[in-house]
């Protein structure tokens, strides 16, 4: 790992001191920060890698998104040009044509061409062995590696490039906008082409050091201090788009939400994400800017049927759904604007179905269903994560306590199981729980990105099999016509809510906070803020 040079260390300390001073003066009515002062953002977790294809972690993408560009981008949830100024898919969904912007250079001086884009796709497709374990999104979006992959090839002619696939998929063109598929420079790819990964639990050295990788984004990597969990970015004055308003941007990992809040108030940092709903009003009263994003997520209670025979009974699943007081969660825990979910996707998507089976909070009905199923007193293991706030899941311990009481009143025994977040997701995916609280924020504006994440085939974590649902989801996944695909997914949503493999709980609008001496970026429903939009007032 790279250590800070003395000069960098002094600069970082000086920057922190200046920042602390500016935060204090802001709150006491003093002078604002100057253009050259660093903006420090308190991240909710540590960055794991500088190579974005090696992660699925949102806090890592928050940083890499400022340094690398993707072929396509987002304005809100709508797809807009990125490195490609235009794009078009063939009618059969097999070929995706991109016209790249001209005069785009990487931070290492190399030029963006169609050949460079193809080099990136060819690199991702040839991952094998341990690399496959750390490239989740390629395996998911392109359905494998090598000959098994859905990737068919890439052809380039100057700034024109065509990415071809073997089978149409609902994941395209959305996948081309994902931070994980950011375009690296040809010099970067040449440097790392022979790197071997012997153990997927340890990231390769090149991904932990500033200097190996270059993008085309509005900021460049400057330093990464692993000991203090800080990554420093500096403005790319050769950027092809609008230049960043800040000269220096620092992401400092502070995993505890209340510690981030105290760091903000003390002036140590200038912003952080996923503000606790209980803190929003108080922070606003203290003069901070606390914008709230539009809703584009879902929280659900998942059932793993294979772990408890009772969960295979429709009456038990329906009893749980009727027992849960989701309105109370929305009214007392979620930020203003939260909604009770009726299905596993937010209402703004075209495939959202207003006619799905719904399950109102009705304790009498829940108790009757438990009795008729012969499951009075049945024990349900209920897993929930600790040490985490997610966009769809603020105050998870409070949500768990409400639902635990609901289930016990309905006639179940509840066996709580708290798991730290770092182990929780894998435990759920490995079918290690009977009930679990989890959720999803959409990667892009596509209903399949929600339903397909869970229900496009048998998954151990759900443990149910329903060929009617799986066949319909498979048909939707390969349907290239968007309107027809939405109709299929709307139908699938109804079938899913009839079967009830879990209970969709809520949709939550997450908040982010900034000091009032900075012009904040436009907040994104996808939590994909562009920090280049920021500047000191």
């Amino acid at each position: 790992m790279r250590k800070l040079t003395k000069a960098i260390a002094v600069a970082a300390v000086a920057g922190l001191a200046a920042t602390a001073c500016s935060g204090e003066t802001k709150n006491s009515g003093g002078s604002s920060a100057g253009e050259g002062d660093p903006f420090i953002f308190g991240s909710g977790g540590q960055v794991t890698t500088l190579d974005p294809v090696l992660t699925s972690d949102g806090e890592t993408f928050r940083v890499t998104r400022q340094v690398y560009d993707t072929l396509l981008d987002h304005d809100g949830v709508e797809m807009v040009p990125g490195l490609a100024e235009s794009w078009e898919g063939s009618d059969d969904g097999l070929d995706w044509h991109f016209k790249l912007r001209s005069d785009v250079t990487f931070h290492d001086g190399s030029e963006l061409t169609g050949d460079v884009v193809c080099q990136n796709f060819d690199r991702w497709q040839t991952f094998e062995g341990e690399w496959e374990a750390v490239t989740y999104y390629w395996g998911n979006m392109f359905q494998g590696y090598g000959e098994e992959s859905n990737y068919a090839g890439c052809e380039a002619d100057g700034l024109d490039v065509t990415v071809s696939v073997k089978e149409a998929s609902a994941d395209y063109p959305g996948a081309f906008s994902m931070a994980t598929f950011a375009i690296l420079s040809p010099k970067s790819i040449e440097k790392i082409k022979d790197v071997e990964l012997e153990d997927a639990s340890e990231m390769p050295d090149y991904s932990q050091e500033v200097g190996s990788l270059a993008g085309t984004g509005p900021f460049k990597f400057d330093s990464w201090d692993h000991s203090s969990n800080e990554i420093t970015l500096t403005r790319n004055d050769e950027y092809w788009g609008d230049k960043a308003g800040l000269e220096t941007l620092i992401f400092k990992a502070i995993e505890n939400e209340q510690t981030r809040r105290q760091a903000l108030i003390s002036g140590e940092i200038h912003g952080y994400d996923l503000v606790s709903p209980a803190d929003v009003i108080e922070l606003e009263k203290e003069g901070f800017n606390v914008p709230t994003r539009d809703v584009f997520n879902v929280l659900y209670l998942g059932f793993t049927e294979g772990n408890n025979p009772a969960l295979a009974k429709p009456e038990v699943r329906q009893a749980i759904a009727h027992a849960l007081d989701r309105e109370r969660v929305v009214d007392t825990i979620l930020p203003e604007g939260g909604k009770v979910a009726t299905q596993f996707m937010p209402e703004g998507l075209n495939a959202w179905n207003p006619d799905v089976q719904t399950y109102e909070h009705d304790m009498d009905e829940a108790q009757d269903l438990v009795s008729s199923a012969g499951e009075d007193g049945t024990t349900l293991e209920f897993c929930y994560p600790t040490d985490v706030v997610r966009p769809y899941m603020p105050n998870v311990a409070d949500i768990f306590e409400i639902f635990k009481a609901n289930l016990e009143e309905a006639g179940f025994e509840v066996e709580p199981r708290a798991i730290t977040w770092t182990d929780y997701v894998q435990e759920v995916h490995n079918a290690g729980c009977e009930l679990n609280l989890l959720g999803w924020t959409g990667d892009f504006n596509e209903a399949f990105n929600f339903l397909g994440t869970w229900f496009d085939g048998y998954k151990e974590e759900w443990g149910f099999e329903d060929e009617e649902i799986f066949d319909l989801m498979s048909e939707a996944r390969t349907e290239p016509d968007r309107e027809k695909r939405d109709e299929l997914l709307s139908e699938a949503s109804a079938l899913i809510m009839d079967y009830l493999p879990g209970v969709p709980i809520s949709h939550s609008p997450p908040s982010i906070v900034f000091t009032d001496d900075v012009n904040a970026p436009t907040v994104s429903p996808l939590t994909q803020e562009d920090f280049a939009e920021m500047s000191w007032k």
Side-chain angles (χ1 to χ4, degrees), residues 23 36 60 103 146 193 228 244 246 251 282 300 312 327 330 334 340 474 499 503 515:
T60 299
D103 300 324
K193 66 178 183 180
S228 61
L246 299 170
F251 290 93
E282 286 303 314
Y300 61 83
E327 290 83 0
V330 169
L334 298 193
V340 171
S474 179
Y499 185 90
V503 183
T515 53

Side-chain angles (χ1 to χ4, degrees), residues 296-298 440-446 449-450 525-528:
F296 202 64
N297 56 46
V298 62
W440 183 259
T441 299
D443 293 310
F444 42 82
N445 186 8
E446 166 60 53
N449 188 248
F450 283 87
L526 307 175
T527 65
Q528 297 179 3

Side-chain angles (χ1 to χ4, degrees), residues 513-530:
V513 60
F514 301 93
T515 53
D516 68 355
D517 53 356
V518 66
N519 295 303
T522 303
V523 293
S524 162
L526 307 175
T527 65
Q528 297 179 3
E529 282 74 29
D530 179 3

Side-chain angles (χ1 to χ4, degrees), residues 453-472:
T453 298
W454 309 296
F455 307 124
D456 63 342
Y458 176 81
K459 287 184 171 57
E460 194 176 9
E461 71 176 278
W462 299 91
F464 80 100
E465 296 198 46
D466 187 304
E467 293 307 318
E468 188 176 9
I469 292 175
F470 296 162
D471 288 346
L472 195 55

